Amino acid sequence: MGNSPKRPGAPGGGMPAPSAIPGVKALIAVASGKGGVGKTTVAVNLAIALAKMGASVGLLDADVYGPNVPTMLGTNEQPQANSEREILPVLAYGVKMISMGLLNPGDRPLIWRGPMLHSVMQQFLRSVVWGELDYLIVDLPPGTGDVQLSLIQMVPLTGAVLVTTPSVVALADVRKAMEMFRQVNVEVLGVVENMSYFDAPGGQRVYIFGEGEGKRMAESFGAAFLGEIEIDPQIRVGGDTGKPVAAQGESSPGAKSMYAMARAVAGRVEAVLSAATGPVVQID
């Protein structure tokens, strides 16, 4: 990746260099090439699983136009400010969370251009009291637009987790997201394949959208494959009712693959941080 173009915001790029968020050890972007692949479901359950595994975790909902994290976490609590006018994140299932969905509740749409998106990202990153975190997970909007570029310009990302389904269209779009992160020198932690299979009654496993495509795509890019998430009604019900499957424990229906994915992500983060700074403590 040494021959990749300069990362936006890096020295020589004409903008201030990205600066770390004090107290945050790892900053993980969860991204997808297109909508409808379950990116937010993965981000929410990843955050909760890591917290259940003993880590301190924050979740920043950067999908400003479609902020679904509050619904999936079952909260509409309004964030408060402290005496220094900093924003206090909302706590849900042991995860510190901020979302435009808490600040602009209801069905009123946001009709914003790029500079306004840049400003709200700056606020969420710099004016929220995140405290000491092992992981700050950023749920990005689909695609490769303004929010993604603003995040890359503002903070040094530990890496990106790319979510796809086995369908040809989703895989084509996640390749574009993969190339975007690589062109701006952001480590791709790996690929998660959501909606991979369905375990039918009687024990038959059905690959509705195709089998193994996400893994093959990750391998073709030299990226890690972080796991398959099954199609399970409880995953959908959990997201719709504000009771994510990961919050019910690893043995709950649909949760085992979420925890396996979370351990794979934690392992990749540890490897990246170790390569940069030496050994770090592993979260069991």
Side-chain angles (χ1 to χ4, degrees):
M1 292 185 3
N3 295 325
S4 300
K6 281 188 178 293
R7 176 173 172 173
M15 298 184 66
S19 59
I21 302 172
V24 175
K25 295 178 183 176
L27 187 58
I28 304 168
V30 178
S32 66
K34 67 184 294 294
V37 299
K39 168 187 55 61
T40 299
T41 297
V42 169
V44 166
N45 282 281
L46 170 62
I48 292 174
L50 289 171
K52 288 278 191 181
M53 290 156 54
S56 53
V57 183
L59 178 58
L60 192 165
D61 185 359
D63 195 347
V64 174
Y65 294 129
N68 294 318
V69 168
T71 299
M72 291 192 178
L73 288 176
T75 182
N76 57 7
E77 180 182 344
Q78 288 277 315
Q80 303 299 309
N82 63 16
S83 59
E84 298 178 359
R85 302 188 71 176
E86 296 170 316
I87 303 168
L88 302 176
V90 169
L91 191 65
Y93 297 107
V95 173
K96 296 178 180 178
M97 183 268 290
I98 194 69
S99 169
M100 185 55 68
L102 300 176
L103 301 173
N104 184 56
D107 297 327
R108 185 176 62 184
L110 290 175
I111 306 173
W112 285 358
R113 293 186 180 274
M116 297 179 75
L117 296 173
H118 189 90
S119 177
V120 77
M121 283 297 297
Q122 187 79 267
Q123 290 287 315
F124 281 176
L125 290 167
R126 304 295 180 191
S127 298
V128 172
V129 184
W130 292 113
E132 299 291 324
L133 294 179
D134 294 307
Y135 306 96
L136 177 57
I137 295 167
V138 181
D139 180 34
L140 289 171
T144 55
D146 287 335
V147 172
Q148 287 82 347
L149 294 176
S150 290
L151 180 68
I152 292 162
Q153 290 169 358
M154 291 177 190
V155 288
L157 290 172
T158 306
V161 171
L162 302 182
V163 181
T164 187
T165 65
S167 72
V168 173
V169 172
L171 289 166
D173 287 337
V174 84
R175 288 187 180 95
K176 296 175 185 176
M178 180 92 70
E179 286 294 345
M180 180 201 72
F181 283 113
R182 290 194 163 174
Q183 285 181 25
V184 294
N185 292 339
V186 171
E187 182 80 21
V188 175
L189 298 174
V191 175
V192 175
E193 185 182 272
N194 193 30
M195 307 181 207
S196 292
Y197 57 86
F198 173 68
D199 284 333
Q204 182 185 9
R205 178 161 290 185
V206 182
Y207 291 89
I208 297 173
F209 300 113
E211 182 178 355
E213 295 299 330
K215 185 175 183 180
R216 281 190 283 272
M217 190 273 292
E219 290 173 348
S220 72
F221 275 87
F225 184 64
L226 300 171
E228 298 176 334
I229 308 297
E230 69 267 36
I231 300 172
D232 189 301
Q234 291 306 311
I235 295 176
R236 193 275 303 167
V237 171
D240 287 350
T241 61
K243 299 176 181 178
V245 292
Q248 316 307 315
E250 189 167 358
S251 61
S252 64
K256 186 175 181 180
S257 60
M258 294 292 188
Y259 278 82
M261 176 265 298
R263 290 191 178 94
V265 171
R268 285 286 293 124
V269 169
E270 182 190 10
V272 170
L273 295 181
S274 295
T277 63
V280 296
V281 177
Q282 184 173 5
I283 302 296
D284 295 323

